Amino acid sequence: MADFTVYPDPVLTQAAAARAVDDGMRAAGVALQAAAASVEAYGLAAVHIGLLEPVVVVSVAGQGAARDYRVMFNPRIVALADEKAFGPEGSVSMPGIEVPIERAEWAEIAFDSAEGHGDTMRLEGFAARVAQHEIDQVNGVFFLNRLSRLKRDTAIRKFHKSQR
């Protein structure tokens, strides 16, 4: 099982700069996919395993289905549905905490392949939620930042209490 970066590590608020896909990014992608598989995560960003790289892994299968991981380099959201819905979200960096976050129902994601070729993918439902969550993390936006201050503070207190 991988060692995960734990909240409130400041690296979780740092954005990973996009760049040409290189060996370091590809190695991060391999490590990230292994880490995600080890805990059956639906998605992870490289920062979760201590690497400030613009790399995410997202399972494009639906919630509850066997994981079908895609490694995405330099991922970015290019279009979002106007329709939004709340759904539970958590993080390996804050184990035991799950809160409802509002996200777009579908997302079109642009990313580079391991070979550096540009690609796009439209994800819907749960997979779209996971991709939006992980791309936020690549951009230094921890999922709690999407909550009101009161709800964020409550989640943080609950997490600190669980860590005692």
Side-chain angles (χ1 to χ4, degrees), residues 134-152:
E134 300 308 341
I135 292 170
D136 268 0
Q137 189 62 72
V138 164
N139 293 319
V141 179
F142 196 61
F143 77 112
L144 293 185
N145 293 14
R146 297 235 173 235
L147 295 172
S148 69
R149 183 180 188 108
L150 177 64
K151 289 179 181 178
R152 181 174 53 247

Side-chain angles (χ1 to χ4, degrees), residues 8 14 21 23 28 35 40 53 63 69 79 103 107 119 124 126 131 136 142 144 152-153:
Q14 295 178 15
V21 177
D23 288 342
E40 296 186 354
E53 296 281 2
Q63 188 174 14
Y69 293 121
R103 300 276 185 187
D119 201 354
E124 300 194 15
F126 186 73
D136 268 0
F142 196 61
L144 293 185
R152 181 174 53 247
D153 289 348

Side-chain angles (χ1 to χ4, degrees), residues 30-153:
V30 169
L32 197 56
Q33 192 165 3
S38 76
V39 294
E40 296 186 354
Y42 288 102
L44 286 177
V47 71
H48 291 301
I49 58 171
L51 304 171
L52 192 57
E53 296 281 2
V55 183
V56 300
V57 63
V58 172
S59 176
V60 297
Q63 188 174 14
R67 306 300 186 267
D68 185 12
Y69 293 121
R70 298 293 188 277
V71 178
M72 301 177 187
F73 302 90
N74 300 312
R76 58 210 172 277
I77 296 170
V78 294
L80 291 171
D82 291 332
E83 303 80 18
K84 298 186 185 316
F86 281 91
E89 293 188 21
S91 174
V92 296
S93 293
M94 192 176 244
I97 301 301
E98 197 170 85
V99 294
I101 303 286
E102 186 177 42
R103 300 276 185 187
E105 293 274 345
W106 60 260
E108 185 174 334
I109 310 300
F111 59 95
D112 295 327
S113 68
E115 296 77 31
H117 303 295
D119 201 354
T120 60
M121 181 182 294
R122 180 179 161 134
L123 298 171
E124 300 194 15
F126 186 73
R129 171 174 299 284
V130 172
Q132 291 171 74
H133 175 109
E134 300 308 341
I135 292 170
D136 268 0
Q137 189 62 72
V138 164
N139 293 319
V141 179
F142 196 61
F143 77 112
L144 293 185
N145 293 14
R146 297 235 173 235
L147 295 172
S148 69
R149 183 180 188 108
L150 177 64
K151 289 179 181 178
R152 181 174 53 247
D153 289 348

Side-chain angles (χ1 to χ4, degrees), residues 156-164:
I156 291 168
R157 277 194 305 278
K158 183 178 176 185
F159 176 66
H160 287 310
K161 186 175 181 181
S162 75
Q163 298 298 298
R164 292 185 198 153

